[in-house]
């Protein structure tokens, strides 16, 4: 009996590309995965443009995007003004979340790191809740500068000051103290009158 000899599968090997003093490594596998991810993103964008709200055909979506002569203004409005901005905003938000997750994992040097591990979530919550309580938000909601700038700035400041890997606020005693303080404030804080709601 003779054993069948199989040749090893060819592997995609990285190549070094040089142009003068500049060089970089081209990794075919990374390039292939990136191109596949972009193709999936484009398919998802197209699917959202077609099926968000009232379904449109592929031809209607393309006509709404390119606006040739004779395109109904309603179709152009629906695709370019309503669907496309939401789709682009969703894709950019997803890209930002992916980059922030990669940075979090890189800073923590842990592939399973999340914002909760670094304490960023707790600090951001503290900042946002402090603005809600101090600005009189509650059930009435915030308005004006407190809503537009106060919440995001307080959340960012809370994440930087009370969260992060170099903060000393991670002990259980300090977290318990701040939780108890927040609970006491929520129970005994002055409330706006129901007429303001």
């Amino acid at each position: 009996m003779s054993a069948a000899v199989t040749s090893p599968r060819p592997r995609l090997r990285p190549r070094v590309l040089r142009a003068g003093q500049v060089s970089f490594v081209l990794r075919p596998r990374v390039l292939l995965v990136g191109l596949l991810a972009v193709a999936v993103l484009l398919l998802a964008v197209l699917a959202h443009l077609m099926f968000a709200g009232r379904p449109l055909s592929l031809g209607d979506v393309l006509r709404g995007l390119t606006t040739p002569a004779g395109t109904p203004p309603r179709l152009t409005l629906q695709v370019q003004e309503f669907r496309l901005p939401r789709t682009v905003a969703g894709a950019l938000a997803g890209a930002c979340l992916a980059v922030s997750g990669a940075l979090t994992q890189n800073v923590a040097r842990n592939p399973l790191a999340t914002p909760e591990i670094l304490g960023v979530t707790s600090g951001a919550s503290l900042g946002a809740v402090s603005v809600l309580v101090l600005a009189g938000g509650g059930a009435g909601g915030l308005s004006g500068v407190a809503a537009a700038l106060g919440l995001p700035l307080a959340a960012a400041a809370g994440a930087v000051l009370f969260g992060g890997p170099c903060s000393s606020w991670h002990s259980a005693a300090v977290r318990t103290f701040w939780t108890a303080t927040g609970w006491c404030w929520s129970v005994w804080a002055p409330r706006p009158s129901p007429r303001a709601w």
Side-chain angles (χ1 to χ4, degrees), residues 62-87:
L62 294 177
R63 264 186 286 142
L65 287 173
T66 58
T67 321
T71 302
R74 183 177 181 175
L75 180 65
T76 304
L77 177 75
Q78 188 176 14
V79 172
Q80 289 184 2
E81 298 294 325
F82 296 144
R83 294 184 183 197
L84 189 62
R86 281 189 235 158
T87 305

Side-chain angles (χ1 to χ4, degrees), residues 12-93:
L12 298 174
R13 298 182 188 270
R15 294 182 182 164
V16 177
L17 300 176
R18 291 189 175 94
Q21 294 181 349
V22 178
S23 65
F24 65 94
V25 178
L26 177 66
R27 293 182 172 86
R29 183 174 179 183
V30 173
L31 183 64
L32 180 66
V33 169
L35 290 174
L36 285 174
V38 168
V40 168
L41 175 67
L42 291 177
L43 285 174
V45 164
L46 186 62
H48 184 267
L49 289 175
M50 289 174 62
F51 300 115
R54 186 176 61 92
L56 296 174
S57 68
L58 179 61
D60 287 343
V61 169
L62 294 177
R63 264 186 286 142
L65 287 173
T66 58
T67 321
T71 302
R74 183 177 181 175
L75 180 65
T76 304
L77 177 75
Q78 188 176 14
V79 172
Q80 289 184 2
E81 298 294 325
F82 296 144
R83 294 184 183 197
L84 189 62
R86 281 189 235 158
T87 305
V88 170
L92 288 176

